[in-house]
Amino acid sequence: MMAGCSKPDQGTSASGTGSEAHAHSDQHDHDHDSHDHEHPESLKEGFQKLSDMYQVIKAAFEKNDPDAAHGELHEIGHLLEEDLPALLQSDGQLSAEAKEKLKATFTKLFDAFFKLDDQLHGGPAANFAEVDKVIAEGLEDYKGLVP
């Protein structure tokens, strides 16, 4: 799981913010009080950060070394659950329709990245090619919705 965070349909939502969007289990030793990641200041910056981390994750899985992407998978969970939804909520430029599409895109991306992270925590092995296709489509959707 995303560093101890539950999947959206298990009590949290990628479109929520705050504590209700980030249900935790004690399954993993992870300090949620000291988030040492930088927060994007815009949806465009968030897209770039997501894309950059995705390249690291993709390279690790293609090298058959998914543990090398563990940090990025954790950070992407926070980005998709907290940072991007907060930016989306405060955005004054996007239409309501575009915001709804982005919320759905964030959920789609979270679910895909969750499959990769879940296998690092004893979950079922993910078919990287299938998950990679979903992530690539989600990133294209994101890119097309943010000016």
Side-chain angles (χ1 to χ4, degrees), residues 25-46:
S25 73
D26 294 325
Q27 210 169 346
H28 309 291
D29 59 352
H30 171 75
D31 181 5
H32 288 274
D33 294 327
S34 61
H35 292 164
D36 292 335
H37 61 273
E38 293 182 28
H39 302 276
E41 295 183 17
S42 69
L43 288 169
K44 191 171 187 175
E45 186 180 315

Side-chain angles (χ1 to χ4, degrees), residues 99-128:
K99 285 184 176 187
E100 286 303 312
K101 287 180 181 178
L102 267 176
K103 282 182 188 179
T105 298
F106 296 160
T107 299
K108 176 181 179 177
L109 286 166
F110 182 90
D111 289 347
F113 284 113
F114 174 85
K115 288 179 182 178
L116 299 178
D117 189 63
D118 191 36
Q119 79 178 30
L120 299 179
H121 298 283
N127 179 324
F128 182 74

